[in-house]
């Protein structure tokens, strides 16, 4: 594999000491970070196949989008004016047309999503949807790192739930290692997956050593159902069902009570994917209690959610939104620092997904998942703090180079594996075909 030396960059290591290295270097060998440091310790450039002079660049770990549904790019712009965090909004604008999806739609859609993600600096994403096989294949073809949670929507049909569970188990057993790994993904507990199915999913996840990714305390129905039935919030009802014994990664979490936060804190591997843009867009008053969760020791990662609920995969924008909404919620200026926002979008995302030994920070021995932002363009200027400049002045569109496992997937803003135009044209044909099928089925919203 090609070795590379990156030089003269401002490097955010996001390692335990959270170092910023000015005019630093990083060596990539055999897909891993072989070393990094200041100019004084730089190895001989002649030893490397590729040299990248990154003066004027910010270099950091690849961003981790901890919650999305990549195939749903097909619904971008199709749910405007509707909340996607209520059963009605989701059912009317997503679920009904979704019934016209076929497996052949997924590859082109996920390819476009992966292209947008990597071009804006995301190197790992956590996905939850059906058609998990096709999503995993498309992520693999794009070269990204991914956790693909096999989505199970039961909606009162027990036979369908059992059938889906068997397929999910087979998927998880096949897709256990490499850049793309498999999890279970019950859509939303109690709302569309019953207790028996949830318990079966937990047992299988624990048995297979994989995680569960789900939506939790996102819409009003989540807690309303369990409060009416058991007098408990969804989080506490799930805890009673043994849900928190394994790895649980919960998206949204807008309505967590102090008791719910205690459940997350006491669990061995529970984390939250805070999707600030999607939460704000829904119009719900609840905002994920990020400050309280972090104070309780809970890992909080950041996600865009699907691009019908967000419209963008830009994780720089998502860091900015998370920072601003935390200020609004807490009633004080910037209770979550820029450095913490960077950690949430990198190492905390990796920790949530159980891959922090492999990615999420720039440390010798870890996979070379690296992004280089060009800080020389408009919108940037001399600044005392690089993380703040990136989050509040920069954008995913400032990404110049991206490596995943040492492979350069973006060079000078261009995809290396497949031309973006080819991906876009294939997607456009799929989009037209899908929506004409939806219209023919009488399900167009
Ligand atoms: Zn979601």
């Amino acid at each position: 594999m090609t070795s590379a030396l990156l030089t003269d960059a401002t490097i955010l290591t996001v390692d335990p000491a959270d170092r910023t290295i000015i005019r630093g270097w990083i060596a990539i060998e055999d897909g891993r970070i072989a070393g990094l440091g200041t100019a004084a310790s730089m190895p001989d450039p002649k030893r490397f196949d590729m040299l990248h002079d990154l003066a004027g660049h910010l270099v950091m770990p690849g961003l981790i989008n901890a919650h999305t549904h990549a195939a749903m790019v097909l619904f971008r712009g199709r749910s405007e004016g509707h909340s996607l965090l209520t059963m009605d909004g989701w059912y009317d604008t997503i679920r009904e047309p979704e019934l016209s999806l076929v497996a052949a739609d997924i590859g082109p859609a996920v390819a476009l999503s992966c292209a947008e993600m990597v071009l804006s600096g995301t190197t790992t994403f956590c996905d939850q949807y059906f058609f998990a096989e096709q999503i995993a294949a498309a992520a693999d073809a794009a070269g990204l790192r991914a956790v693909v949670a096999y989505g199970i929507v039961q909606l009162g049909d027990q036979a369908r739930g059992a059938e889906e569970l068997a397929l999910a188990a087979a998927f998880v057993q096949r897709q256990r290692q490499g850049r793309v790994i498999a999890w279970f993904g019950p859509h939303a507990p109690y709302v569309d997956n019953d207790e028996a199915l949830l318990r079966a999913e937990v047992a299988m996840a624990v048995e297979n050593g994989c995680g569960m990714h789900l939506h939790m305390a996102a819409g009003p129905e989540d807690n309303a159902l369990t409060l009416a039935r058991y007098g408990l919030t969804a989080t506490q009802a799930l805890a009673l069902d043994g849900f928190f014994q394994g790895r649980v990664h919960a998206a949204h979490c807008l309505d967590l009570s102090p008791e719910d936060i205690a459940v997350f804190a006491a669990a061995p591997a529970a984390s939250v994917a805070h999707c600030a843009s999607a939460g704000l867009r829904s119009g719900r008053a609840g905002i994920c209690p990020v400050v309280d969760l972090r104070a309780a020791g809970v890992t909080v990662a950041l996600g865009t959610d699907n691009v019908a609920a967000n419209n963008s995969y830009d994780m720089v924008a998502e860091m900015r939104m998370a920072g601003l909404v935390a200020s609004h919620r807490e009633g004080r200026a910037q209770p979550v620092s820029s450095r913490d926002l960077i950690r949430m979008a990198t190492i905390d995302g990796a920790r949530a997904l159980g891959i922090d030994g492999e990615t999420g920070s720039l440390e010798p021995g870890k996979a070379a998942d690296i992004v280089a932002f060009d800080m020389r363009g408009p919108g940037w200027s001399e600044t005392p703090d690089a993380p703040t400049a990136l989050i509040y002045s920069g954008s995913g569109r400032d990404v110049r180079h991206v490596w995943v496992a040492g492979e350069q997937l973006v060079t000078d803003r261009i995809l290396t594996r497949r031309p973006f135009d080819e991906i876009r044209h294939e997607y456009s044909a799929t989009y037209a075909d899908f929506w004409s099928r939806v219209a023919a089925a009488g399900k167009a919203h």
Side-chain angles (χ1 to χ4, degrees):
M1 194 171 209
T2 310
S3 63
L5 183 65
L6 285 46
T7 63
D8 214 6
T10 298
I11 300 172
L12 304 179
T13 60
V14 200
D15 63 5
D18 221 352
R19 291 179 298 153
T20 301
I21 304 174
I22 306 297
R23 305 199 66 180
W25 59 272
I26 302 179
I28 301 173
E29 289 179 74
D30 297 324
R32 301 205 165 260
I33 296 167
L36 74 172
T38 56
S41 62
M42 193 169 85
D44 182 355
K46 289 200 281 295
R47 279 181 37 210
F48 296 86
D49 303 321
M50 294 280 295
L51 293 177
H52 295 275
D53 177 355
L54 294 179
H57 289 68
L58 176 65
V59 171
M60 60 177 284
L63 296 162
I64 297 182
N65 185 344
H67 178 64
T68 192
H69 313 268
M72 287 180 68
V73 68
L74 287 162
F75 296 87
R76 178 182 262 163
R78 292 277 181 165
S79 298
E80 298 309 302
H82 295 267
S83 168
L84 290 181
L85 299 184
T86 60
M87 193 67 174
D88 281 357
W90 172 71
Y91 199 87
D92 293 348
T93 65
I94 304 291
R95 187 59 186 163
E96 289 263 280
E98 211 167 52
L99 296 170
S100 296
L101 273 178
V102 296
D105 297 331
I106 305 303
V110 176
L112 182 74
S113 292
C114 287
E116 291 191 10
M117 283 193 254
V118 73
L119 284 165
S120 58
T122 292
T123 53
T124 299
F125 68 102
C126 178
D127 203 273
Q128 189 267 5
Y129 209 55
F130 13 85
F131 297 111
E133 302 275 4
Q134 288 78 10
I135 295 165
D140 202 40
L144 270 75
R145 206 177 289 285
V147 167
V148 178
Y150 190 110
I152 298 180
V153 176
Q154 185 183 31
L155 286 173
D157 183 342
Q158 294 208 335
R160 179 202 167 92
E163 193 183 314
E164 284 289 307
L165 187 63
L167 290 171
F171 171 66
V172 161
Q173 279 155 12
R174 265 197 309 283
Q175 194 82 42
R176 297 178 74 137
Q177 45 197 289
R179 290 190 205 178
V180 180
I181 55 174
W183 280 19
F184 288 93
H187 181 251
Y190 306 106
V191 178
D192 55 22
N193 279 206
D194 67 21
E195 291 87 334
L197 180 63
L198 288 167
R199 278 195 291 269
E201 288 178 73
V202 174
M204 281 199 183
V206 170
E207 185 187 322
N208 286 286
C210 68
M212 313 266 296
H213 183 38
L214 73 165
H215 297 95
M216 200 184 287
E221 289 98 349
D222 286 309
N223 284 333
L225 272 171
T226 52
L227 282 168
R229 215 179 283 169
Y230 313 109
L232 295 169
T233 63
T235 302
Q236 290 163 61
L238 284 167
L240 279 185
D241 273 336
F243 208 81
F244 284 87
Q245 61 186 291
R247 178 173 293 280
V248 176
H249 182 48
H252 298 297
C253 294
L254 303 188
D255 302 315
L256 297 185
S257 67
E259 294 76 22
D260 295 339
I261 293 173
V263 168
F264 275 86
S271 54
V272 169
H274 174 36
C275 303
S277 299
L280 286 176
R281 179 195 177 280
S282 76
R284 298 211 57 221
I287 294 173
C288 178
V290 170
V291 171
D292 294 344
L293 282 162
R294 286 171 54 87
V298 179
T299 299
V300 182
L302 300 180
T304 59
D305 204 358
N306 65 73
V307 292
N310 184 317
N311 304 60
S312 170
Y313 286 115
D314 185 344
M315 284 292 293
V316 176
E318 209 53 46
M319 284 192 276
R320 177 160 61 242
M321 196 59 78
L324 295 175
V325 78
S327 300
H328 178 76
R329 188 184 191 281
E330 302 301 318
R332 58 195 165 97
Q334 298 182 310
V336 182
S337 70
S338 298
R339 251 171 214 284
D340 283 342
L341 290 165
I342 296 269
R343 296 189 75 80
M344 291 163 74
T346 55
I347 190 67
D348 292 346
R351 192 170 292 124
L353 303 180
I355 53 174
D356 50 313
E358 184 72 355
T359 189
S361 61
L362 303 181
E363 298 179 68
K366 278 197 171 183
D369 295 356
I370 302 171
V371 56
F373 290 89
D374 189 342
M375 300 192 293
R376 299 168 301 178
W380 301 81
S381 60
E382 299 304 321
T383 176
D385 185 58
T388 297
L390 172 64
I391 294 167
Y392 293 105
S393 308
S395 152
R397 292 199 167 99
D398 294 314
V399 167
R400 184 173 171 214
H401 303 307
V402 181
W403 292 261
V404 175
E407 178 185 352
Q408 193 163 2
L409 294 180
V410 178
T411 300
D412 284 323
R413 304 172 194 264
I414 306 280
L415 293 175
T416 58
R417 282 202 177 188
R418 225 183 132 193
F420 183 75
D421 276 353
E422 183 185 307
I423 294 169
R424 191 168 58 82
H425 284 127
E426 191 180 270
Y427 171 77
S428 296
T430 300
Y431 178 86
D433 190 46
F434 168 62
W435 284 102
S436 68
R437 270 182 275 126
V438 174
K443 301 290 189 190
H445 180 72

